[in-house]
Amino acid sequence: LLRSISHDLRTPLTAMRALIEPLRDGLVKTEEQRQQIYDVVLRETMRLSRLVNDMLELSRLQSGAIAVEVHPLDIRELLLDICERYANIAREKNRNFTWADAIEDCPRVVTNPDRIEQLMVILLDNAIKYTSEGCTIGVDLIWNTERVTVTVFDNGQGIAEADLQHVFERFYKADKSHSTKGSGLGLALCSRIAQAHGGTLAMESELGKGTTVTVTLPAPNQTATELTQEEPV
């Protein structure tokens, strides 16, 4: 774990140093080159900031330092807003985006809206990152008297069977060749958020065929008005 943390912190720092040193030494001669360096340094700084924030967030969730307050909530508007937002993002990235009409009839669930939005954003960001142009990304939803199940799916590159059992571990990256695409913390955060709701998070995937991530949330009569965190693992 320490090796993974060190690598992920060192990578953006190394990139920034390699650019700042020639800038300091006067080796960058044109304004265009300087602007390119500024853009890369800003991008790497933001990446480093996201990594540190994700590490702190996951640590607080695991330790129970954050109490996730949940209550019965109508999440239809939240889900529709997220879907419309990502439909625009997908269009800009030349991907197809679809969502189920059932979202408009979604029953109330026991949830924290900020945390569920965080979870959905992570899952949809991943779907955008790990699909190519022309691929389809979608959100589906079904429910029964006990729980609501939200599914994010795509027909992108998929994940090898050997990696599936590790995808919710901190800093694990199934695609080692694209280490700049994420910190390896997003799915670990999603898993803790689902657990904090008394729900579950599961993934199915096949290499070259796509990925399906399923989030279950309890119906209002299944959970108390506040859930406490599990012991750190």
Side-chain angles (χ1 to χ4, degrees), residues 172-192:
Y172 189 82
K173 298 176 185 177
D175 188 353
K176 310 298 190 302
S177 65
H178 292 86
S179 60
T180 60
K181 284 191 175 182
S183 66
L185 289 174
L187 288 176
L189 270 171
C190 288
S191 180
R192 299 302 299 190

Side-chain angles (χ1 to χ4, degrees), residues 4-211:
S4 296
I5 295 173
S6 299
H7 176 270
D8 283 330
L9 290 174
R10 186 172 61 244
T11 300
L13 290 173
T14 300
M16 287 189 286
R17 179 178 178 180
L19 293 170
I20 291 173
E21 286 182 345
L23 190 63
R24 179 201 61 188
D25 296 338
L27 301 177
V28 181
K29 301 302 183 181
T30 69
E31 181 62 25
E32 182 181 0
Q33 290 175 324
R34 280 191 287 271
Q35 288 300 323
Q36 290 174 346
I37 289 176
Y38 296 149
D39 288 343
V40 174
V41 170
L42 177 60
R43 185 171 65 246
E44 293 298 330
T45 302
M46 294 174 65
R47 176 184 167 198
L48 187 59
S49 178
R50 286 193 299 270
L51 174 60
V52 172
N53 288 339
D54 285 349
M55 290 169 58
L56 292 173
E57 183 86 345
L58 184 58
S59 177
R60 288 194 292 262
L61 281 168
Q62 290 180 319
S63 67
I66 300 177
V68 179
E69 296 184 0
V70 299
H71 52 85
L73 181 72
D74 185 339
I75 64 169
R76 286 177 293 183
E77 185 174 342
L78 172 63
L79 291 177
L80 288 171
D81 178 70
I82 292 171
C83 287
E84 290 172 359
R85 190 191 322 166
Y86 275 88
N88 291 329
I89 295 173
R91 190 179 305 112
E92 292 172 358
K93 301 286 186 178
N94 295 316
R95 286 142 173 82
N96 303 308
F97 192 93
T98 181
W99 66 88
D101 292 339
I103 290 177
E104 297 185 8
D105 300 316
C106 178
R108 287 158 64 86
V109 294
V110 176
T111 188
N112 178 297
D114 292 334
R115 291 297 177 184
I116 290 303
E117 181 172 8
Q118 181 183 18
L119 181 151
M120 291 295 296
V121 165
I122 291 172
L123 296 183
L124 289 169
D125 278 347
N126 280 350
I128 294 287
K129 290 174 186 175
Y130 296 106
T131 54
S132 55
E133 292 188 3
C135 286
T136 296
I137 299 162
V139 178
D140 200 0
L141 186 143
I142 59 173
W143 65 85
N144 57 31
T145 56
E146 296 183 351
R147 63 190 66 251
V148 172
T149 300
V150 183
T151 301
V152 175
F153 62 90
D154 66 70
N155 61 351
Q157 67 187 51
I159 299 171
E161 185 177 355
D163 292 310
L164 276 177
Q165 60 183 316
H166 302 292
V167 292
F168 298 123
E169 297 174 6
R170 293 170 294 175
F171 294 102
Y172 189 82
K173 298 176 185 177
D175 188 353
K176 310 298 190 302
S177 65
H178 292 86
S179 60
T180 60
K181 284 191 175 182
S183 66
L185 289 174
L187 288 176
L189 270 171
C190 288
S191 180
R192 299 302 299 190
I193 291 170
Q195 291 173 21
H197 283 76
T200 61
L201 185 70
M203 177 182 288
E204 296 180 358
S205 188
E206 187 174 348
L207 200 60
K209 293 190 175 181
T211 301

